[in-house]
Amino acid sequence: MSDLPMSGSPEDDAARSAAPGSDRAALEAAVVESVSVVPGVARLVPSFRQVLTATARRLLNAETSPATGVDIVTEASGGVVVYVDLYTDGTRPAGSVVDDVAAEVQALILTHEGSSAQVKVRVMGVMDAG
């Protein structure tokens, strides 16, 4: 079962995805930049939303944006949930990498939003260091 929220329309997704009080794209970029340099993170992978968007754009022959591996969702209750999907590089225990990623994201959300967020980090696998 997926942790990702479902909605009835793309407009609902866009409204829910926008982090309150800030530019969602700038916040997402800051999260990507911060998470990407955490020791042990090999790479980020596309979020569920990005996979669907990229598929739709491909079908319509539209440009695609690079995958970030981050999805920021604002829930109806006003809470913010940040999903981060990544591969580790095997140099550190996955739990340590997850803890550091969650701490980085919490700090960014606190700085940008003035409140905490729920952070869900999924380690998709370990990249071969070779």
Side-chain angles (χ1 to χ4, degrees):
M1 180 144 256
S2 173
D3 291 328
L4 297 173
M6 299 304 234
S7 71
S9 74
E11 293 80 16
D12 291 342
D13 286 340
R16 249 200 322 263
S17 294
S22 74
D23 176 23
R24 184 185 170 282
L27 180 57
E28 185 175 289
V31 170
V32 169
E33 182 178 330
S34 180
V35 167
S36 295
V37 298
V38 170
V41 173
R43 71 178 177 96
L44 296 170
V45 297
S47 68
F48 183 67
R49 176 183 52 82
Q50 290 171 324
V51 169
L52 291 176
T53 301
T55 301
R57 285 183 176 156
R58 233 182 347 264
L59 289 171
L60 300 172
N61 294 324
E63 290 184 25
T64 60
S65 57
T68 63
V70 173
D71 198 10
I72 301 171
V73 178
T74 302
E75 297 180 319
S77 64
V80 175
V81 181
V82 180
Y83 297 91
V84 180
D85 296 339
L86 56 84
Y87 281 86
T88 65
D89 63 11
T91 61
R92 301 176 59 217
S96 297
V97 174
V98 168
D99 290 345
D100 290 349
V101 166
E104 287 287 331
V105 172
Q106 283 289 1
L108 279 169
I109 297 297
L110 188 59
T111 299
H112 282 84
E113 301 300 316
S115 62
S116 63
Q118 184 178 12
V119 180
K120 296 188 177 195
V121 180
R122 293 185 291 194
V123 176
M124 308 306 285
V126 178
M127 299 277 303
D128 196 9

